[in-house]
Amino acid sequence: MVVVSKFRSLFWIKISFGIIVFLLVLFYCIKIIGSDFNKNSIPILIGGIVVLLFILYISLDVFKLYKLKITDSGIEKITIVNKRIEFILFNSITSFQKEIITPKNTRSQIADRYDAYILKFENKKLIISPNDFENYDEIIETIKSNINTNKKTC
């Protein structure tokens, strides 16, 4: 049985919103520089540049996005941006366990905690989060059953 991950629709809405805001702020900054530039527009221009840099910083995570394809022999991890494929054999998985993730900064918790599965293999790890995938439960159950099946055959 082959299971292919599906991103949540809210995920694509967030990405689209970020692109639209980025383009609007960029257009506004170019407009200020091109025609309306004076001393009063410098704070607005600086604010716009800060927003652009912030959006660029956040968007670096887009390069880490991946799609999963679970087959009978392993997990195919396909990076969305550069289409790089990494294949993880079920036999090479050292642990697959649920962990509670609590987003924090240096002072306090910044968001609610959530469960995610951490898959460890060959000194690497893969985090499978319910925040990313619409069919998260199906992915987890398929991986669990394939790990158990492959351990019995070895």
Side-chain angles (χ1 to χ4, degrees), residues 1-14:
M1 180 169 133
V2 176
V3 176
V4 178
S5 62
K6 299 173 196 149
F7 286 108
R8 294 188 178 278
S9 54
L10 182 62
F11 171 79
W12 293 115
I13 292 170
K14 288 191 300 187

Side-chain angles (χ1 to χ4, degrees), residues 32 44 47 64 67 76 78 93 102 108 127 129-130 141 147:
I32 288 175
I44 295 170
K64 297 177 187 174
K67 180 170 66 169
E76 197 172 288
I78 306 159
I93 296 173
T102 307
S108 66
I127 299 172
S129 169
E141 290 307 315
I147 287 174

Side-chain angles (χ1 to χ4, degrees), residues 64-76:
K64 297 177 187 174
L65 292 177
Y66 56 87
K67 180 170 66 169
L68 295 175
K69 183 177 178 183
I70 295 97
T71 63
D72 291 333
S73 58
I75 303 168
E76 197 172 288

Side-chain angles (χ1 to χ4, degrees), residues 90 96 117 139-149:
F90 286 119
F96 184 62
Y117 272 87
I139 291 169
I140 297 304
E141 290 307 315
T142 306
I143 292 172
K144 281 181 181 178
S145 68
N146 283 328
I147 287 174
N148 291 335
T149 303

Side-chain angles (χ1 to χ4, degrees), residues 1 28 31 42 51 63 72 80 96 108 111 119 125 136:
M1 180 169 133
Y28 190 69
K31 182 179 178 260
I42 291 176
V51 168
F63 293 101
D72 291 333
I80 299 292
F96 184 62
S108 66
L119 185 120
K125 71 179 181 178
Y136 170 78

Side-chain angles (χ1 to χ4, degrees), residues 27-44:
F27 175 75
Y28 190 69
C29 287
I30 291 171
K31 182 179 178 260
I32 288 175
I33 292 172
S35 62
D36 301 336
F37 192 73
N38 59 40
K39 279 189 171 185
N40 295 334
S41 62
I42 291 176
I44 295 170

Side-chain angles (χ1 to χ4, degrees), residues 86-118:
E86 180 178 5
F87 194 78
I88 305 162
L89 290 170
F90 286 119
N91 297 337
S92 69
I93 296 173
T94 55
S95 76
F96 184 62
Q97 55 192 348
K98 185 190 287 190
E99 292 187 15
I100 297 173
I101 297 175
T102 307
K104 294 181 179 182
N105 64 10
T106 56
R107 294 195 180 101
S108 66
Q109 182 175 332
I110 58 173
D112 292 336
R113 60 189 202 162
Y114 61 92
D115 296 340
Y117 272 87
I118 312 292

